[in-house]
Amino acid sequence: MKRFFDYYKPYKGLFVLDFGSAVFVGVLELIFPLMTSLFIDQLLPSKEWNKIVLGAVGLFAVFAFVTVLKFIVTYWGHKLGTNIERDIRNELYRHLQRLNFNFFDNNKTGKLIGRLTNDLMDIGELAHHGPEEVFVAVMTVIGALVIMLTIDVKLALITFCIVPIIFVLTIYFNQKMTTQFRRLFSNVSTFNDVIGESIGGIRLVQAFTNERFEADRFHTANEDFRATKLKAYNFMSWNSSIGYMSQKFTLIIVLILGCYFVLHDMMSYGEFVAFIMITDILFKPLQSINLIIELFPKGIAGFSNFKELMNTPVAIKDAAHAVAFEGVPETIRYEDVTFKYDDEVILDHLSFSVRRGEKIALVGPSGGGKTTICSLLPRFYDPYSGAVTINGRDTRDYTLESLRRQIGVVQQDVFLFSGTLRDNIAYGNLTATDEEIMRAVEQAQLKSFIDTLPQGIHMIVGERGTKLSGGQKQRVSIARMFLKNPPIIILDEATSALDVETENRIQAAFKQLSEGRTTLTIAHRLSTIRDVDRIFFIEDGRIVEEGSHEALLEKKGKYYALQQAQYEQVLG
């Protein structure tokens, strides 16, 4: 709870305004029964119409003021809750962006979306209603009980006997609801996963005519979601119904006993009416507490999920002594690097160095560790042991931002946002001018394609770039890298989806870009790496062969065998 209340600190003024207004509303609500008793017992028997009208005008002024306060509580109070919800969501999103790839490898997107959306929905309501409603409710209950005692002690004590029963039942059902709403949030995450996968993979679903299978999977998840939600609402309904029945039962008791007291001159008519009204006011804060208790398990369940994610350690982060990278990357060294993934050794005591401007290619069977080698350089992962250094300093000693600014990555699996072509290209340099973007477009061999589009560079690419071919998406990714213009370039099968003619043009552009820059290329198509300075054949996390294209062919080892296999495949 202390962690939760910390989010109120930036909004102390707003909280005081909301809280103070709510307290005044609660106090002024207690005035009406007393004023009613005054009207019936004193003003009405006096038959002085002017005093009656004056009293009514005064009462109207009080309620006009209450109306203003209620507006403040409703609007500004919700603004307080919404601000806190926004701050929590921003904090969670920033934290997620800092988590390393291992976390996202092991957590589904739907679950994370649910934590950012549904789980936090009720936190704003709890932040707004929680403190003020509980305080005002307790204050109103105490005030109502005191007024009841001043009107009639016996009737007040009888009424008091029912209140604790309601609280005990409310606490019981609250515990049940808390359990169910935690299950509900878990089901929402599963629900989001099913929807995200089936909609995102709709082309695959239709290609294999698996619509019925996906519909059944969705139906099962939907039914589980419905069942859990109904259980939560079942406890909520019992809680609400018992509270309602208790309230009406108490009013009936007050009516019967009040009538008896009036008939026996133990209570005036005004006191009787005031007692009935104050009894109704007594149950309003109890209803508020009941609503808070219904909201509390939802908000706390969402906040617990939020804390669980926030407590996930950021494995890849700046060291306390980290410094910004300055100058030009002269040398890159992998010094006895071992990397494990779930206890499986991916890289095994790997060592090599790369000089500035050198072009290195990594080849070998899938799963050998080529992509991992490249992922360690910008610290998408950190080595299990050993070190990756640039200019003799461990990459963990540089700030992440300054390190990654030195490196441009063109990945095989291209991700595009759902905006325009320009938006996706400009992601390589968000401050780039139109002239710089068009230069990158030409270097990536995209201009001829863009010239054929009615909207040109402002064409909407669709979700994940569905309106573009594989080769077009890769060229967009390459344009990003041209725009970033970094001193170190990583090409992960960057031209694998291109036709030979386009590939040749891009290779020529790459050759121009790589002058004076360090380049690491992961390649399966060996024809694209003939001109590199050195080739590493990676197998089982080790460098088993190293040399130029010609030297490795003369050696007639594993690289030669791979070259022959590809040559025979082309001929075949």
Side-chain angles (χ1 to χ4, degrees):
M1 293 305 297
K2 181 183 181 300
R3 176 90 176 269
F4 181 72
F5 282 116
D6 283 343
Y7 291 97
Y8 285 87
K9 289 180 180 178
Y11 309 106
K12 291 177 182 177
L14 198 57
F15 176 76
V16 170
L17 176 66
D18 174 45
F19 193 83
S21 298
V23 170
F24 269 108
V25 169
V27 171
L28 294 175
E29 286 284 355
L30 294 172
I31 292 178
F32 188 65
L34 298 176
M35 292 297 294
T36 303
S37 176
L38 179 66
F39 264 75
I40 295 174
D41 288 340
Q42 296 184 30
L43 295 180
L44 188 58
S46 72
K47 299 181 181 180
E48 296 183 30
W49 180 248
N50 290 338
K51 289 184 178 180
I52 294 174
V53 172
L54 187 62
V57 171
L59 199 57
F60 177 79
V62 170
F63 284 117
F65 181 56
V66 170
T67 301
V68 174
L69 293 178
K70 279 183 173 289
F71 178 86
I72 292 174
V73 170
T74 303
Y75 177 74
W76 294 97
H78 277 103
K79 183 177 182 179
L80 169 67
T82 302
N83 287 350
I84 290 174
E85 180 185 342
R86 175 202 60 192
D87 292 348
I88 291 174
R89 187 171 284 117
N90 283 338
E91 184 178 347
L92 180 57
Y93 186 75
R94 287 194 298 268
H95 182 72
L96 286 174
Q97 286 189 309
R98 296 171 60 212
L99 296 178
N100 68 321
F101 286 3
N102 274 339
F103 173 82
F104 295 100
D105 292 341
N106 295 317
N107 287 275
K108 292 184 177 180
T109 302
K111 175 184 176 182
L112 300 179
I113 292 174
R115 294 288 173 90
L116 276 166
T117 53
N118 299 327
D119 287 15
L120 301 181
M121 286 293 187
D122 292 305
I123 286 181
E125 288 297 305
L126 181 62
H128 166 214
H129 293 292
E132 74 177 39
E133 291 282 1
V134 171
F135 181 83
V136 172
V138 172
M139 182 198 68
T140 306
V141 167
I142 294 172
L145 294 178
V146 169
I147 294 173
M148 285 179 168
L149 286 170
T150 60
I151 295 173
D152 190 278
V153 175
K154 294 188 294 294
L155 195 55
L157 291 175
I158 293 171
T159 306
F160 296 173
C161 293
I162 301 173
V163 174
I165 299 173
I166 299 173
F167 272 110
V168 170
L169 291 172
T170 299
I171 291 171
Y172 170 76
F173 286 112
N174 169 56
Q175 292 174 339
K176 296 292 185 182
M177 283 189 295
T178 301
T179 301
Q180 289 304 316
F181 275 110
R182 281 177 178 162
R183 291 178 182 173
L184 182 64
F185 284 135
S186 177
N187 282 358
V188 168
S189 298
T190 303
F191 199 52
N192 288 339
D193 285 335
V194 172
I195 295 173
E197 289 178 353
S198 60
I199 299 300
I202 191 64
R203 287 169 173 77
L204 182 66
V205 172
Q206 293 183 357
F208 284 88
T209 63
N210 281 336
E211 293 89 345
R212 185 182 297 277
F213 170 77
E214 291 298 332
D216 290 342
R217 197 159 72 104
F218 178 84
H219 176 76
T220 300
N222 203 14
E223 282 299 313
D224 290 343
F225 181 72
R226 170 185 174 274
T228 305
K229 200 168 188 179
L230 285 178
K231 285 182 180 178
Y233 285 136
N234 179 48
F235 291 120
M236 186 184 295
S237 300
W238 275 105
N239 193 21
S240 176
S241 301
I242 290 174
Y244 174 81
M245 187 60 198
S246 301
Q247 177 185 358
K248 299 308 176 186
F249 175 73
T250 306
L251 283 173
I252 292 171
I253 295 296
V254 169
L255 278 172
I256 294 173
L257 294 178
C259 289
Y260 177 83
F261 292 157
V262 169
L263 291 175
H264 290 78
D265 296 325
M266 299 166 63
M267 180 184 288
S268 68
Y269 285 100
E271 288 174 337
F272 178 44
V273 173
F275 201 96
I276 292 175
M277 295 179 70
I278 207 72
T279 302
D280 187 56
I281 290 176
L282 172 67
F283 277 94
K284 284 184 178 179
L286 294 180
Q287 289 173 349
S288 297
I289 292 174
N290 204 26
L291 289 173
I292 290 300
I293 289 175
E294 290 178 4
L295 182 62
F296 188 80
K298 300 180 191 177
I300 291 303
F303 193 72
S304 296
N305 289 339
F306 161 75
K307 285 199 303 179
E308 180 187 336
L309 269 184
M310 289 300 298
N311 289 334
T312 303
V314 179
I316 308 295
K317 59 183 178 181
D318 290 340
H321 59 275
V323 297
F325 187 96
E326 295 180 355
V328 179
E330 296 289 346
T331 58
I332 299 171
R333 296 183 189 278
Y334 285 69
E335 300 175 357
D336 197 31
V337 170
T338 296
F339 180 81
K340 294 182 179 180
Y341 189 84
D342 291 338
D343 294 327
E344 179 186 357
V345 176
I346 306 299
L347 299 179
D348 187 11
H349 298 283
L350 186 79
S351 296
F352 67 89
S353 62
V354 183
R355 298 183 305 277
R356 176 186 175 186
E358 195 172 10
K359 294 181 280 292
I360 301 297
L362 307 176
V363 302
S366 298
K370 302 184 297 296
T371 300
T372 302
I373 291 172
C374 293
S375 296
L376 290 175
L377 185 57
R379 289 193 67 201
F380 295 147
Y381 302 96
D382 274 340
Y384 176 77
S385 64
V388 180
T389 68
I390 299 180
N391 293 352
R393 184 188 287 266
D394 195 318
T395 53
R396 287 168 287 200
D397 293 336
Y398 294 118
T399 61
L400 278 172
E401 183 178 0
S402 66
L403 172 67
R404 291 174 180 173
R405 286 189 184 280
Q406 310 302 313
I407 304 167
V409 182
V410 180
Q411 296 172 324
Q412 181 179 7
D413 183 17
V414 178
F415 182 90
L416 297 185
F417 296 97
S418 57
T420 65
L421 271 171
R422 187 193 186 283
D423 294 337
N424 278 281
I425 294 169
Y427 208 75
N429 180 1
L430 297 176
T431 61
T433 64
D434 288 343
E435 181 181 351
E436 290 170 330
I437 290 172
M438 290 310 300
R439 188 182 307 121
V441 164
E442 292 177 0
Q443 290 172 313
Q445 304 294 317
L446 265 173
K447 190 174 187 306
S448 58
F449 164 66
I450 290 175
D451 288 342
T452 65
L453 302 174
Q455 295 175 301
I457 200 169
H458 299 290
M459 166 198 174
I460 301 294
V461 301
E463 186 176 7
R464 295 185 66 90
T466 53
K467 294 183 180 181
L468 304 180
S469 69
Q472 289 162 352
K473 285 193 287 187
Q474 281 196 325
R475 279 181 278 170
V476 170
S477 179
I478 292 168
R480 283 178 187 164
M481 193 266 291
F482 276 115
L483 197 60
K484 185 175 182 180
N485 199 24
I488 300 173
I489 305 166
I490 296 174
L491 307 175
D492 188 352
E493 287 293 328
T495 60
S496 62
L498 305 181
D499 59 82
V500 175
E501 182 181 355
T502 303
E503 180 187 5
N504 289 336
R505 290 200 299 267
I506 291 179
Q507 288 296 335
F510 273 147
K511 185 175 181 180
Q512 177 184 354
L513 180 70
S514 62
E515 290 298 326
R517 293 175 172 82
T518 307
T519 307
L520 280 73
T521 303
I522 299 174
H524 287 112
R525 194 185 297 178
L526 302 186
S527 59
T528 64
I529 58 170
R530 290 179 178 175
D531 296 330
V532 301
D533 298 306
R534 282 187 294 162
I535 298 171
F536 297 150
F537 193 99
I538 310 296
E539 188 175 55
D540 296 328
R542 291 176 173 272
I543 299 175
V544 295
E545 289 183 2
E546 175 185 348
S548 65
H549 174 73
E550 292 77 12
L552 291 178
L553 288 181
E554 291 178 5
K555 190 176 182 180
K556 293 192 176 181
K558 292 180 178 294
Y559 181 80
Y560 174 82
L562 183 60
Q563 170 79 11
Q564 291 299 110
Q566 289 192 6
Y567 181 71
E568 291 173 2
Q569 187 178 19
V570 171
L571 292 179

